[in-house]
Amino acid sequence: MTSENEQKFGPALLILGAPGAGKGTQAKRIAEALNIPAISTGAIFRQNMEDRTELGIKAKEYIDQGEFVPDSVTNPMVKARLSAPDTQAGFLLDGYPRTLDQAYYLREALAESGRELNVVLEVVVDFDEVLQRLLKRAEIEGRSDDTEPVIRHRLEVYHAQTEPMVTYYADRDKLIEVDGKGSVEEVWARIEDVLVENGLIEK
Ligand code: AMP
């Protein structure tokens, strides 16, 4: 069964990292290199907020506080996105799952079509560095959830809710840590090596 599925679906990847670890930028590069869609729940929410859809209005009250959007909204949204035909080529998730419950939901949702995550990358950066990066980004982009108290809260939420999930993937031998220090190019070079080592791209 596994070989059949491998033929049918491309690689399923997840990129993890604290807010400000630079995972969004790297996610785009990975998706481009593998020719698969990058699926960012944060980006989907922001687009919906901009378009003032019902989903966007619901999500905004949580996002602006640095809180997670409830699973009852987030999970079905991701499931619907993963059922789109472009995910046959594979996909890269960015920003989902963020909790153990979401990780279990994702495992079930993928299993329904005989899929599973193949590789989980964690971009590791220390607290002070991501705090500084986010404060700088706040000045440049002016995102509504990029004020200092909300940034601090998002980082705390990451440690409390997402780190236990990182352990879950580590226990299942899926986790690959990548040092997130340094420039975009330096981090990308490390990620590229990991993709080559795992047979996902050729150098
Ligand atoms: P991000 O761009 O990934 O930092 O996401 C921005 C915000 O969107 C987060 O602070 C959450 O409020 C919300 N969000 C994104 N992904 C999720 C998720 N998997 N579960 C719940 N809320 C999420």
Side-chain angles (χ1 to χ4, degrees):
M1 189 161 160
T2 310
S3 59
E4 216 174 84
N5 289 330
E6 276 168 6
Q7 279 170 15
K8 202 165 158 207
F9 296 108
L13 287 83
L14 162 63
I15 187 163
L16 296 170
K23 65 185 161 53
T25 310
Q26 300 296 341
K28 282 189 199 124
R29 290 200 172 199
I30 296 168
E32 224 166 84
L34 298 179
N35 209 7
I36 55 175
I39 301 174
S40 155
T41 40
I44 298 174
F45 286 135
R46 280 189 288 281
Q47 185 63 53
N48 276 276
M49 280 158 56
E50 212 179 296
D51 298 343
R52 298 183 201 278
T53 66
E54 204 180 311
L55 177 78
I57 292 162
K58 228 184 270 174
K60 187 173 165 53
E61 56 183 298
Y62 298 96
I63 291 178
D64 284 356
Q65 307 296 319
E67 302 287 351
F68 287 163
V69 179
D71 285 355
S72 58
V73 176
T74 309
N75 284 339
M77 178 182 91
V78 172
K79 194 172 180 179
R81 179 64 189 87
L82 289 173
S83 67
D86 66 339
T87 65
Q88 284 240 341
F91 57 85
L92 170 68
L93 284 169
D94 165 17
Y96 181 96
R98 261 174 151 96
T99 62
L100 263 178
D101 279 350
Q102 289 184 356
Y104 298 148
Y105 179 90
L106 175 67
R107 187 182 59 193
E108 296 302 312
L110 290 176
E112 281 176 22
S113 52
R115 292 183 291 182
E116 63 174 1
L117 282 181
N118 304 115
V119 174
V120 179
L121 288 174
E122 186 192 12
V123 181
V124 183
V125 186
D126 68 41
F127 187 93
D128 285 332
E129 184 158 347
V130 287
L131 181 62
Q132 290 316 314
R133 285 191 196 174
L134 286 171
L135 291 172
K136 208 163 136 196
R137 184 174 81 184
E139 281 175 26
I140 300 166
E141 291 182 13
R143 261 171 58 163
S144 61
D145 58 348
D146 267 350
T147 59
E148 183 164 352
V150 175
I151 287 169
R152 282 189 181 275
H153 185 60
R154 279 164 53 218
L155 289 173
E156 282 159 16
V157 169
Y158 183 81
H159 287 290
Q161 308 249 27
T162 306
E163 275 176 2
M165 190 196 75
V166 178
T167 311
Y168 163 80
Y169 287 117
D171 290 346
R172 293 164 68 87
D173 291 332
K174 305 243 169 190
L175 189 73
I176 301 171
E177 290 186 0
V178 178
D179 181 1
K181 261 199 295 302
S183 68
V184 169
E185 292 307 325
E186 284 166 326
V187 179
W188 170 243
R190 292 178 202 128
I191 291 178
E192 221 178 5
D193 286 344
V194 169
L195 298 178
V196 172
E197 278 160 26
N198 284 271
L200 293 169
I201 55 168
E202 286 171 23
K203 194 118 197 183

